[in-house]
Amino acid sequence: QAGTVVAVGLAIAAAGFAGRYAVKAMKQMEPQVKQALQNLPKPAFSGYYRGGFEPKMTKREAALILGV
């Protein structure tokens, strides 16, 4: 039983050190991550049609939704 308590304590300590290391690594990588996110292509639906819909879709409304 004492061995289990020691093992659990060591596991918790290891998780704490690993978490600390991960946080430090993420702080150093933050500028690279921001740059990579800015270089991603914009999604095709980023400027989606923001409007109400008619009871029956018109050609104009369909063109606005499709972005053509």
Side-chain angles (χ1 to χ4, degrees):
Q1 194 173 14
T4 304
V5 173
V6 170
V8 169
L10 289 174
I12 291 172
F17 282 116
R20 183 178 175 200
Y21 174 77
V23 168
K24 283 185 176 182
M26 285 303 296
K27 283 184 181 178
Q28 291 177 351
M29 292 176 52
E30 188 176 1
Q32 291 92 352
V33 171
K34 284 184 180 180
Q35 182 67 26
L37 289 176
Q38 288 176 351
N39 290 338
L40 287 176
K42 300 291 181 210
F45 297 107
S46 62
Y48 65 91
Y49 175 58
R50 298 175 195 232
F53 295 102
E54 300 294 326
K56 185 172 180 183
M57 186 176 290
T58 63
K59 287 184 179 182
R60 178 184 176 276
E61 187 177 33
L64 285 171
I65 292 170
L66 294 173
V68 293

